[in-house]
Amino acid sequence: MSYVPETARKRPLLCPFNVITGIIILIGLYLAFKRFTGGLGAVSNLDDTNPWGFWIGFDLLTGVALAAGGYVTAAAVEIFGNKRYHAAIRPAILTGFLGYSLVVFALLFDVGRPWRLPYPFFVSQGVTSVMFEVGACVALYLTVLFLEFSPAALEWLGMKKLRRILVRLTMLLTVLGVVLSTLHQSSLGAMYLISPSKLHPLWYSPYLPVFFFISSIVAGLSMVLFEGWLSHRNFSDIMDESHRKGRDDLAFGFGKAASLVLAGYFAIKVFGIALGNNWALLFTGYGLWFLVEMIGFILLPCLLFAIGVRERKVKLIRITSIIAVLGIVLNRLNVSLIAFNWNLPADERYTPALGEIGITLFIVTVGLVVFRFIVTRMPIFYEHPEYDEAH
Amino acid sequence: MSKSRRDFLKWMVAAGTAAAVPRSASAHGHFTGYPDSYGILHDTTLCIGCRSCEAACNEVNGLPKPDKPFDDKSVLDKKRRTDATRYTVVNRYEPEGYFPSPVFRKSQCNHCLEPACASACFVGAFKKTPEGAVVYDASVCVGCRYCIIACPFNIPAYEYDEPLTPRVMKCTMCHPRLLEGKLPGCVEACPMEALTFGKRDDLIAIARERIRKYPDRYIDHIYGEQEMGGTSWLYITGAPFESIDMRTDLGITPAPEFTSGALAMVPMVIGIWPVLLGGIYAISKRKEIISRREKESAVENAVSETKADADTKAKAAAERFKKEKESAIDRAVKKALEDAAKENGKEGSE
């Protein structure tokens, strides 16, 4: 049954966190009302030439990448056999599940007729579309994440039998999760393959799907480190020993992995320039911006992770995880907004409206509130005493 | 050869080619359009920017009336694009060093032979009809606007002010009118014959003939014959294409080919990933088992070694003890004997 560690401190209803989130949620509800009474034009700067804006660039592309922690951690522990990071699975799966749920939630604002989102599967299948694949995989993966997360909820609810069945499915779900994540993480990049004439050649590459997939691993590893840090600051009172003690070990392990993957990512990005023979473009304004991403947000975190692991500096690894996460955000915004429609004059370009940013803030805030609700009630950061067989 | 046999062979050959042609066409070449499909040739050298086409388009498609009337030429002072209220626009260009200036160009959906929008749509709302028109079905549209991202010509527009039932808006090539045997609205309205409707193949021949006849008047290129794999709308002009906002860097690859490779990888990932992951799992599991076994046997060894060690030690101790005991007895016996001898001696001397 419901169990919370005795060390848990009381969380008052009227704390700064709740007041601020309350205000953001009220603003969000107002913006949602505007969106569903006045259309997309009422809250956004989207137009016919720039049909995708901040919601697609951040909420969808960045959101999905940053929610990769679920499949990355599950794969590292269950498949690659790094059992010592076991305590990291549940928080990662939970953030993955919430992340994907929020992506779908955000899409409800962006697409014209949200209730038709199941249409591609049940009414009219456009199988030539990369987006069809993205949609199918995200829908399936959301289901997988739900099932992967459900043991924690079932422990909270005290439903032992159902929980046991789901725990037995762990391996199958993990493999399914990795397959589906490989597909849709890469396909988000593949969506942009259709428009080589609009995306700047330094970002456009036939390798785009590979870039997106590999960088999603970086995103997953870094987000687990970053979120772990935040969680330790806010929820250490409900964490059990294995969570508290495993923290540094996790930082070194994931930091090392992130450094390696970043090195590979940097290499294939260079191959991308070579394939398109776009070297000369490096010396243009966009080229400089590209180098900022390459050096400041791929090469730099790669080196800093390596140094942090070698010198056993947990703090450096933590800071680096933020740089790496920002690098992913930057990359997704580059592909979807900054380097997209790069050849159009400034007055035909897009900058997000306050309304769009407001809705995004609203969505992220809802996610934080739900996360907080769950971790203060369900066994995420601690083991439930009645289920001592390791979860 | 008897007649029936010849007929049979003929039938065989016909069946064989029928079966082989579509396959080889899809494997090696691009789709070059439905046979006898229609198109429209826009000759910008004949266009005077009167906007009659815009007015007709507005009329036949029942689009909202614009603020400024269609004969108001001041509209041309600003570059415009198609939007939810206008499927076509005429823009005025003044290319540097080109005469006669200005040049007017009409833009609308080019009705690609292999449309990017149709390939991108995840509900298949767009269809290339055998008549040549690319049509849109709002009844399945989710409103994701990927078609607009995909279109290399920046044509489809969206009803951004519609809260719940926004549609994608674009030229239909007057498909309903074509089926009735009528001309597209814009073509019918053009007073200068800057627009020619006909079978696409014929239009290409006409365009080539015009270029051949008036080499000074035209650039030797039919825009849309090859661009993005070919479009049903074709353009000939005297001004450089770039100077009238027509991109010449689009290439001749049809849009669906940009994504077909990535889509083809999907089944490979589904097939190979579980094998690979299963393999990695098996390896890590086996390593775990081996290390556990090694640990166990090491422990066993250590235990047995210590045991053996202890045994020998115990044995030695026992031996020593035994020896000590024996010698103690010996000594005791000796002493007893000596004592006895002494006693005897004493007694004897007394």
Side-chain angles (χ1 to χ4, degrees):
Chain A
M1 286 315 291
S2 181
Y3 160 85
V4 173
E6 287 155 15
T7 49
R9 63 187 150 84
K10 275 237 164 75
R11 286 161 213 276
L13 199 63
L14 206 72
C15 61
F17 175 84
N18 285 357
V19 172
I20 295 168
T21 52
I23 293 170
I24 295 175
I25 287 173
L26 282 179
I27 295 173
L29 289 175
Y30 164 72
L31 289 169
F33 175 77
K34 262 179 87 174
R35 152 67 184 90
F36 286 107
T37 52
L40 275 180
V43 288
S44 76
N45 278 348
L46 298 172
D47 60 34
D48 293 324
T49 312
N50 303 285
W52 285 358
F54 196 65
W55 294 340
I56 297 296
F58 188 81
D59 303 10
L60 176 69
L61 293 185
T62 312
V64 167
L66 297 188
Y71 91 86
V72 170
T73 311
V77 176
E78 306 289 355
I79 296 172
F80 288 79
N82 295 305
K83 293 271 151 62
R84 61 188 189 283
Y85 306 139
H86 198 271
I89 287 193
R90 277 200 177 177
I93 293 287
L94 174 62
T95 39
F97 175 51
L98 289 181
Y100 277 85
S101 305
L102 294 178
V103 166
V104 176
F105 184 45
L107 280 179
L108 302 182
F109 291 90
D110 187 83
V111 303
R113 311 188 200 206
W115 58 91
R116 284 186 178 177
L117 276 174
Y119 269 34
F121 315 119
F122 302 115
V123 177
S124 177
Q125 294 81 14
V127 290
T128 57
S129 172
V130 177
M131 194 186 271
F132 178 83
E133 191 214 324
V134 172
C137 290
V138 168
L140 285 173
Y141 186 48
L142 192 57
T143 315
V144 167
L145 278 169
F146 173 74
L147 294 176
E148 284 185 304
F149 162 72
S150 56
L154 293 171
E155 286 170 19
W156 180 52
L157 297 168
M159 299 165 78
K160 292 188 178 176
K161 261 191 196 157
L162 195 55
R163 177 199 168 273
R164 200 171 310 135
I165 296 170
L166 280 158
V167 168
R168 281 207 195 116
L169 291 175
T170 302
M171 192 60 207
L172 178 75
L173 290 174
T174 306
V175 171
L176 252 177
V178 177
V179 170
L180 291 168
S181 294
T182 308
L183 290 177
H184 72 256
Q185 292 284 1
S186 60
S187 297
L188 282 175
M191 284 206 309
Y192 286 88
L193 290 178
I194 196 92
S195 45
S197 58
K198 296 185 184 178
L199 182 55
H200 192 281
L202 282 173
W203 282 274
Y204 185 92
S205 162
Y207 295 143
L208 254 182
V210 186
F211 293 164
F212 266 54
F213 171 59
I214 298 298
S215 57
S216 84
I217 300 174
V218 176
L221 294 167
S222 308
M223 271 311 268
V224 168
L225 294 175
F226 177 55
E227 286 163 2
W229 179 33
L230 288 185
S231 296
H232 275 271
R233 288 175 56 122
N234 294 300
F235 301 110
S236 63
D237 57 316
I238 45 174
M239 288 185 178
D240 62 13
E241 277 302 295
S242 71
H243 268 93
R244 252 172 281 161
K245 283 195 173 153
R247 181 165 70 145
D248 291 359
D249 199 21
L250 182 78
F252 296 133
F254 273 36
K256 195 183 209 172
S259 177
L260 275 170
V261 180
L262 275 165
Y265 180 49
F266 183 82
I268 59 173
K269 290 276 276 186
V270 174
F271 298 155
I273 311 173
L275 182 81
N277 198 13
N278 292 322
W279 301 106
L281 289 174
L282 290 177
F283 304 101
T284 61
Y286 274 99
L288 208 65
W289 185 237
F290 181 77
L291 287 176
V292 168
E293 186 191 324
M294 285 288 280
I295 294 169
F297 292 94
I298 300 175
L299 205 55
L300 181 71
C302 172
L303 288 174
L304 292 182
F305 270 134
I307 294 169
V309 171
R310 203 188 132 104
E311 313 276 319
R312 305 261 124 190
K313 283 182 178 154
V314 179
K315 209 171 170 190
L316 179 63
I317 293 176
R318 266 182 223 146
I319 292 165
T320 311
S321 74
I322 298 174
I323 302 175
V325 165
L326 286 177
I328 300 300
V329 177
L330 180 68
N331 175 258
R332 298 308 192 259
L333 291 183
N334 274 340
V335 170
S336 61
L337 303 177
I338 298 167
F340 193 82
N341 274 339
W342 66 286
N343 42 14
L344 291 182
D347 62 325
E348 290 176 39
R349 297 295 303 276
Y350 158 91
T351 40
L354 279 178
E356 289 170 81
I357 294 170
I359 294 253
T360 297
L361 260 176
F362 162 63
I363 290 165
V364 173
T365 308
V366 169
L368 281 177
V369 170
V370 177
F371 183 82
R372 195 167 181 262
F373 178 89
I374 291 175
V375 297
T376 50
R377 282 165 182 79
M378 299 181 197
I380 304 297
F381 291 127
Y382 54 86
E383 305 245 353
H384 196 295
E386 282 170 40
Y387 304 87
D388 39 5
E389 26 151 354
H391 52 234
Chain B
M1 242 191 321
S2 75
K3 192 173 181 292
S4 66
R5 198 167 155 214
R6 203 161 51 220
D7 279 355
F8 174 73
L9 281 175
K10 239 199 270 176
W11 180 83
M12 282 294 284
V13 170
T17 32
V21 162
R23 211 181 304 146
S24 59
S26 66
H28 300 299
H30 300 322
F31 175 64
T32 49
Y34 285 106
D36 290 337
S37 70
Y38 297 109
I40 292 144
L41 173 65
H42 177 29
D43 186 336
T44 67
T45 65
L46 299 173
C47 181
I48 53 166
C50 66
R51 299 182 68 214
S52 304
C53 52
E54 286 189 39
C57 178
N58 179 280
E59 175 86 33
V60 301
N61 288 300
L63 296 170
K65 290 274 165 263
D67 297 338
K68 288 183 180 174
F70 285 102
D71 51 13
D72 185 344
K73 293 282 162 34
S74 71
V75 172
L76 294 169
D77 293 342
K78 229 183 120 196
K79 191 187 143 193
R80 296 173 303 150
R81 62 154 285 165
T82 52
D83 66 25
T85 65
R86 50 192 188 210
Y87 292 165
T88 186
V89 290
V90 175
N91 275 306
R92 184 179 63 208
Y93 300 94
E94 276 144 28
E96 252 176 73
Y98 175 75
F99 188 81
S101 188
V103 177
F104 298 96
R105 179 177 70 87
K106 177 184 181 304
S107 78
Q108 71 300 304
C109 174
N110 285 325
H111 299 274
C112 303
L113 301 181
E114 294 184 65
C117 54
S119 141
C121 182
F122 73 157
V123 287
F126 292 90
K127 201 177 279 151
K128 178 78 175 172
T129 64
E131 293 77 30
V134 177
V135 294
Y136 160 77
D137 176 8
S139 74
V140 292
C141 179
V142 181
C144 73
R145 308 184 299 287
Y146 189 29
C147 50
I148 309 180
I149 289 283
C151 177
F153 302 108
N154 280 334
I155 291 300
Y158 185 75
E159 295 181 309
Y160 285 98
D161 299 326
E162 254 331 302
L164 297 172
T165 55
R167 292 167 298 171
V168 170
M169 306 292 278
K170 73 165 201 73
C171 159
T172 63
M173 206 170 157
C174 283
H175 187 246
R177 284 170 62 91
L178 292 189
L179 293 182
E180 290 171 21
K182 293 185 197 157
L183 283 174
C186 54
V187 177
E188 197 175 70
C190 182
M192 298 302 295
E193 291 188 21
L195 301 174
T196 312
F197 178 84
K199 295 205 168 131
R200 187 172 180 268
D201 293 340
D202 298 342
L203 294 177
I204 290 173
I206 292 171
R208 256 196 240 302
E209 183 61 13
R210 281 190 203 170
I211 294 171
R212 190 189 65 78
K213 261 192 185 159
Y214 308 104
D216 298 337
R217 186 175 175 144
Y218 296 104
I219 289 170
D220 186 10
H221 182 79
I222 305 169
Y223 195 100
E225 188 185 1
Q226 303 280 345
E227 274 74 13
M228 297 303 293
T231 58
S232 292
W233 272 74
L234 303 163
Y235 302 79
I236 47 174
T237 177
F241 287 105
E242 293 285 1
S243 72
I244 55 171
D245 262 350
M246 300 182 81
R247 294 184 62 168
T248 52
D249 59 347
L250 295 177
I252 60 168
T253 310
E257 276 184 28
F258 295 130
T259 51
S260 59
L263 283 172
M265 286 310 291
V266 172
M268 293 298 105
V269 171
I270 295 172
I272 293 169
W273 243 216
V275 178
L276 194 69
L277 297 171
I280 295 171
Y281 173 72
I283 291 169
S284 75
K285 191 94 190 163
R286 189 167 157 67
K287 266 190 186 156
E288 212 176 274
I289 290 169
I290 289 173
S291 76
R292 198 193 306 137
R293 251 191 230 146
E294 274 173 357
K295 211 188 271 169
E296 274 169 10
S297 69
V299 168
E300 230 166 66
N301 278 348
V303 167
S304 59
E305 256 169 42
T306 20
K307 211 175 158 197
D309 204 34
D311 272 357
T312 42
K313 262 186 200 158
K315 237 183 230 164
E319 207 105 309
R320 215 178 323 129
F321 180 70
K322 208 174 154 195
K323 262 186 197 157
E324 267 169 25
K325 209 176 171 186
E326 272 170 9
S327 60
I329 291 171
D330 278 354
R331 254 181 280 136
V333 171
K334 239 186 206 167
K335 206 179 168 209
L337 286 173
E338 273 170 18
D339 283 354
K342 266 184 200 167
E343 280 292 302
N344 281 342
K346 249 189 204 167
E347 270 171 30
S349 65
E350 263 174 331

